[in-house]
Amino acid sequence: MTTLSIFQESRPETPEQVTQNPQEIARLLNEKGIRFEQWATRSLPADASTDAILEAYGDEIARLKQEGGFVTADVVGLTADNPEKEAFRQKFLDEHTHSEDEVRFFVRGQGLFYLHLDQQVYAVLCQQNDLISVPNGTRHWFDMGPEPEFTCIRLFTNPEGWVAEFTGEEIASQLPRYERLAGAA
C-alpha cells in the first residue's frame, strides 16, 4: 500500500508520522511543493510494450506535457532477475538533485522515493497507479529494493533525460532502507 513516512533529519531512525491515506499523502506532499496523485488502473498485460503503455496512459501524459512543458515520455522497468539490479540500485541510493523535474508514474510494482525537504525526510513508497513529481533542485534519492519489480512512465523536458548532481551528504545512509519501510507497509 502507498505509504508516506516522515522523519526528522535529527532523528532518522524512526518516523514521526506515517500515513497510508492517499488524500493525506497528497496533501502533505503538496504542502511541500511535491505533486502526488493516483491515476485509474489500465488493464495491461504484464509484458505490455512501451508503445502499449504510453498509449494506455496517453490522455494523462498529454495533460502532464501541457501542464509541465514536458517534451517526451518513455517507459523504464526493472525486474528481480536482472543481473545488474544491485548496480542499478546503488546508482540512485545517494542524495542528489536534477536540473529538471523528475516525474514518475508507476504502471506496476513499487519503489521508494526519499525527499529531503527542509529539516525532514519524506519517504514515499509509491506503488502501481501512483504519480510523483519531484521538482528540479529537490534533494532526494530512490530505493528500488534488493529485488526490484517496477515499470514506470517517465516524462522529461530535456529529450536526453536528466543527470544526477550528487550532494555528498550522508543523510541517505542514515535512514531505513526499502527492506524496512516497504516491509512495514
Side-chain angles (χ1 to χ4, degrees):
M1 177 173 261
T2 303
T3 306
L4 171 63
S5 303
I6 303 174
F7 296 83
Q8 288 297 322
E9 185 180 78
S10 61
R11 292 192 335 265
E13 59 283 340
T14 305
E16 69 174 8
Q17 182 177 357
V18 177
T19 183
Q20 294 180 327
N21 178 305
Q23 292 79 22
E24 181 74 357
I25 292 169
R27 183 187 67 76
L28 290 166
L29 291 174
N30 191 26
E31 287 175 356
K32 295 292 186 174
I34 307 298
R35 181 179 191 156
F36 175 86
E37 56 193 51
Q38 294 182 316
W39 293 353
T41 302
R42 302 293 191 270
S43 181
L44 292 167
D47 63 347
S49 69
T50 294
D51 289 341
I53 292 169
L54 293 174
E55 182 178 325
Y57 291 96
D59 291 343
E60 291 89 346
I61 292 168
R63 175 177 52 91
L64 287 177
K65 282 182 173 180
Q66 183 175 358
E67 291 174 9
F70 300 106
V71 296
T72 189
D74 72 3
V75 175
V76 64
L78 198 62
T79 58
D81 62 353
N82 187 308
E84 308 267 339
K85 66 185 178 187
E86 185 57 30
F88 284 122
R89 183 184 190 194
Q90 290 301 316
K91 181 178 179 180
F92 301 106
L93 279 178
D94 289 327
E95 184 181 77
H96 59 276
T97 63
H98 303 291
S99 61
E100 69 172 270
D101 295 355
E102 182 169 350
V103 180
R104 299 289 179 271
F105 171 72
F106 284 78
V107 174
R108 70 169 189 85
Q110 64 183 20
L112 186 55
F113 275 92
Y114 295 82
L115 311 165
H116 191 182
L117 308 167
D118 302 318
Q119 303 303 310
Q120 297 175 308
V121 175
Y122 288 62
V124 187
L125 179 62
C126 293
Q127 302 205 334
Q128 181 180 10
N129 301 330
D130 290 345
L131 171 92
I132 189 164
S133 179
V134 180
N136 69 52
T138 301
R139 296 177 296 164
H140 70 284
W141 61 98
F142 179 72
D143 190 349
M144 61 187 74
E147 300 296 321
E149 289 289 339
F150 67 88
T151 301
C152 289
I153 295 172
R154 307 183 298 180
L155 287 99
F156 299 98
T157 54
N158 176 351
E160 284 79 46
W162 47 257
V163 175
E165 306 268 342
F166 292 95
T167 66
E169 297 292 326
E170 296 294 321
I171 187 74
S173 65
Q174 298 170 6
L175 271 88
R177 293 263 188 238
Y178 177 96
E179 294 86 338
R180 183 168 142 214
L181 294 181

